[in-house]
Amino acid sequence: MKTIINTNNAPAPIGPYSQAVAAGGLLFVSGQIPMNPATGEIVTTGITDEATLVMENLKGILDEAGVNFDSIIKTTIFLTDMQTFAQVNEVYGKYFTADFPARETVQVAGLPKGVNVEISIIALKP
């Protein structure tokens, strides 16, 4: 059995997928990009602003699911330029306090809507 999670506090899906799916005690959150959920506009004012909006979009979905960043067990970060890793990592680190999730960060040739960063997560869902 699975439960679909959707919220207005994160961008609406731009394809045939859900913002998140809860199943088997886990929450699978689709990759979030720096899209303003209220306007649908892409933020392009710099990688720090972009990463912050991605993390806030993830927060909106986690809140809707009734969990928080402490529940995250795995993240995947996609970057179009590995030179931005330190800036994204700094923003990312502000959302966690301890017991950090497992993670990988990969450079990709391109991301949806031409963005520079996308992050997906897996969390525990009691």
Side-chain angles (χ1 to χ4, degrees), residues 19-78:
Q19 288 174 329
V21 176
L26 296 172
L27 178 68
F28 301 88
V29 180
S30 295
Q32 295 299 300
I33 61 174
M35 180 184 288
N36 182 313
T39 65
E41 293 183 23
I42 300 295
V43 170
T44 59
T45 54
I47 194 65
T48 299
D49 291 341
E50 294 170 39
T52 299
L53 183 52
V54 167
M55 296 301 288
E56 287 299 311
N57 288 341
L58 290 168
K59 182 181 183 306
I61 295 169
L62 290 170
D63 288 347
E64 184 69 22
V67 296
N68 58 39
F69 283 94
D70 291 337
S71 299
I72 297 174
I73 57 175
K74 174 81 167 53
T75 64
T76 302
I77 301 174
F78 303 95

